[in-house]
Amino acid sequence: MLMLALADTPFSKCDRSNQPNNCRTNFIRGVWEFSESARTAERTEVCDPKVGFKVANKFKVTLLYPNIATDEFGHNGTWTLVYNQGFEVIIHNRKYYSFSDYTQKGNVVTSICNRTTRQGPGGWSHDALGHNWACYSGQRLTGPHAVKTHTIDDVEAFSAGVFTQNPDVVDKINAVQSSWTAKHYPQFEGKSLKYMHHMHGGPNSRIFNYPSPAPVTPEVQAQADALPESFDWRNVSGVSYVTSVKDQGGCGSCYAFGSLGMIEGRLKLLSNNTESIDLSEQDVVSCSLYNQGCAGGFPYLTAGKYAQDYGVTLEANNPYKGSDSKCTTKAGAERIYTASYKYVGGYYGGCNEELMRISLVNDGPLAISFRYGMFDDFVSYGSGIYTPTEVKHDNGKYNPFVEVNHSVLIVGYGKDAKTGKKYWIVKNSWGASWGDHGYFQIERGVNSKGVESIAVEAIPIPY
């Protein structure tokens, strides 16, 4: 097992950054110039773009559709957009990651997608084994550039209001469809709208444009056709490879629960169910600069970047508080790493239902994200196959279309014997009293709420 002390992470030395930028793939493609400091540091390196660094290397990289990277020396590699936050390039046995840049005035954000962040934290690079770290920055030299502005939600306004569940709304949801049953949840009644916003994903996890699922190739379809019609990691020959349902509370930490749930489940699978561990979501919330704490985050940057670069640790080393506390993970705490990670399909926009089923059955549960309105009917799910309605919870003057991005864990799939409707089986992080003992089913094969757009898979190193 690899060991890593808290003092060995830069995350204990600098503040995380809010990342409200919104960059699409077409604004990243083109020729970039990368600048690097000397490749002599370890993961202790603190890269602050406001301070800058001494440039030791400069070279050009061309990023092509859909995920091809080439450098000026003839080396080939890959790249991917990382949600709308930034991008990662893997070339010549090195990885480069940075957030994209932006400016913000009040609630108006201007995304500057043709350069890496100048806000902080900065960009890092390291070799394929996680050594020889360096700070890096990038400037795009060619490619389309347009000024993109958007307005972010006024999160302070949520502090004043409270969430209510009108019984008539629940009844109306049940009246307009028969696929699933809605119910009232007393535990949410009277919670602040800020609490509910964070519970649904948090203000900083919003993705403005989900990619459409990729076309299914004949080869992928042939593999998918060979899979069982239904599958559930909670019951494989009487054995469950899924850890227990947890409750994130009013912290926008669903990305941590979905990501660590995937690693926990896949570790059980890799150990033939002889190892069952409880990983620390609070360590991710408090210690990872790749995400934004209780304000939100993303599975690719958690199960992927953070788990591979810095490792995740056990719950006992930093018990869950559900708040933006300082990083207090025990010094010298053991760390568990991921050997590899990617978007299902290999890059952002390469995912589809069939690839997800193949990965799920072969390698274990998948971390996914999906989007919906904060006051949509989903919060009232009780049982059945969730299909969205137009019914919304009435919460006074607040915009019922405030969109959220919620991360969860897919553990299986099936098909309803009566209706023939296909569905995913999904583990939520709102406690075992919500939904079907903490789980829900959502329609499969139609990309409902973007559920088949950006699944993430990671392969952990056995503990």
Side-chain angles (χ1 to χ4, degrees), residues 28-325:
I28 302 296
R29 293 200 303 263
V31 178
W32 285 75
E33 183 175 72
F34 284 2
S35 300
E36 266 188 304
S37 63
R39 299 173 176 177
T40 55
E42 286 299 322
R43 64 195 76 201
T44 51
E45 187 79 349
V46 176
C47 298
D48 185 347
K50 296 178 182 178
V51 176
F53 56 85
K54 183 178 180 179
V55 175
N57 304 301
K58 271 190 176 183
F59 60 98
K60 294 181 178 63
V61 178
T62 302
L63 306 181
L64 303 170
Y65 178 85
N67 67 326
I68 300 168
T70 61
D71 67 18
E72 62 180 281
F73 309 108
H75 303 121
N76 296 318
T78 62
W79 75 282
T80 183
L81 188 71
V82 179
Y83 305 98
N84 53 0
Q85 301 274 291
F87 61 98
E88 183 171 44
V89 178
I90 304 174
I91 194 166
H92 198 37
N93 298 314
R94 285 189 71 81
K95 291 189 175 185
Y96 301 82
Y97 177 75
S98 179
F99 295 105
S100 297
D101 201 15
Y102 69 93
T103 60
Q104 182 174 349
K105 292 183 179 180
N107 289 354
V108 178
V109 176
T110 299
S111 298
I112 307 174
C113 304
N114 62 343
R115 70 187 187 204
T116 58
T117 184
R118 296 183 181 179
Q119 309 296 321
W124 288 276
S125 72
H126 58 74
D127 66 28
L129 297 178
H131 302 304
N132 301 312
W133 283 59
C135 297
Y136 109 92
S137 63
Q139 177 73 51
R140 194 175 61 171
L141 304 178
T142 67
H145 177 65
V147 175
K148 287 177 59 64
T149 62
H150 65 275
T151 302
I152 59 176
D153 299 320
D154 183 1
V155 296
E156 293 304 318
F158 291 121
S159 301
V162 295
F163 181 71
T164 60
Q165 300 169 88
N166 189 325
D168 292 340
V169 172
V170 175
D171 291 342
K172 188 174 182 181
I173 294 171
N174 290 327
V176 299
Q177 53 79 41
S178 58
S179 179
W180 60 284
T181 300
K183 63 181 289 188
H184 177 271
Y185 289 98
Q187 65 266 39
F188 300 150
E189 199 67 41
K191 292 291 187 183
S192 72
L193 294 184
K194 182 177 182 179
Y195 179 103
M196 297 301 291
H197 195 189
H198 284 74
M199 188 187 81
H200 288 293
N204 293 350
S205 63
R206 185 175 178 186
I207 301 174
F208 289 84
N209 300 284
Y210 269 51
S212 299
V216 179
T217 65
E219 294 78 12
V220 168
Q221 189 63 62
Q223 292 181 57
D225 289 343
L227 298 174
E229 187 174 59
S230 62
F231 190 85
D232 188 346
W233 278 113
R234 297 173 300 173
N235 184 2
V236 179
S237 300
V239 177
S240 175
Y241 293 89
V242 182
T243 51
S244 61
V245 173
K246 300 178 182 180
D247 190 347
Q248 70 187 76
C251 172
S253 53
C254 56
Y255 64 95
F257 285 87
S259 297
L260 298 191
M262 173 173 62
I263 293 174
E264 290 169 349
R266 291 187 169 208
L267 283 171
K268 284 170 70 75
L269 179 61
L270 288 170
S271 69
N272 197 25
N273 210 36
T274 60
E275 296 284 350
S276 183
I277 62 172
D278 186 7
L279 296 175
S280 171
E281 289 82 13
Q282 191 64 48
D283 174 78
V284 174
V285 169
S286 297
C287 306
S288 171
L289 280 186
Y290 290 138
N291 297 289
Q292 285 91 57
C294 279
F298 302 95
Y300 186 94
L301 295 173
T302 304
K305 291 295 295 175
Y306 184 61
Q308 183 170 93
D309 289 352
Y310 298 95
V312 294
T313 193
L314 302 179
E315 174 72 9
N317 293 325
N318 195 340
Y320 189 64
K321 305 176 188 68
S323 62
D324 278 320
S325 58

Side-chain angles (χ1 to χ4, degrees), residues 183 185 187-188 378-382 426 428-440:
K183 63 181 289 188
Y185 289 98
Q187 65 266 39
F188 300 150
F378 177 71
V379 71
S380 299
Y381 173 88
V426 191
N428 203 356
S429 52
W430 294 349
S433 63
W434 181 87
D436 184 1
H437 300 92
Y439 289 82
F440 67 97

Side-chain angles (χ1 to χ4, degrees), residues 345-360:
Y347 59 93
Y348 190 77
C351 187
N352 59 47
E353 175 207 356
E354 305 296 33
L355 286 169
M356 288 171 63
R357 289 204 299 135
I358 293 168
S359 175
L360 177 73

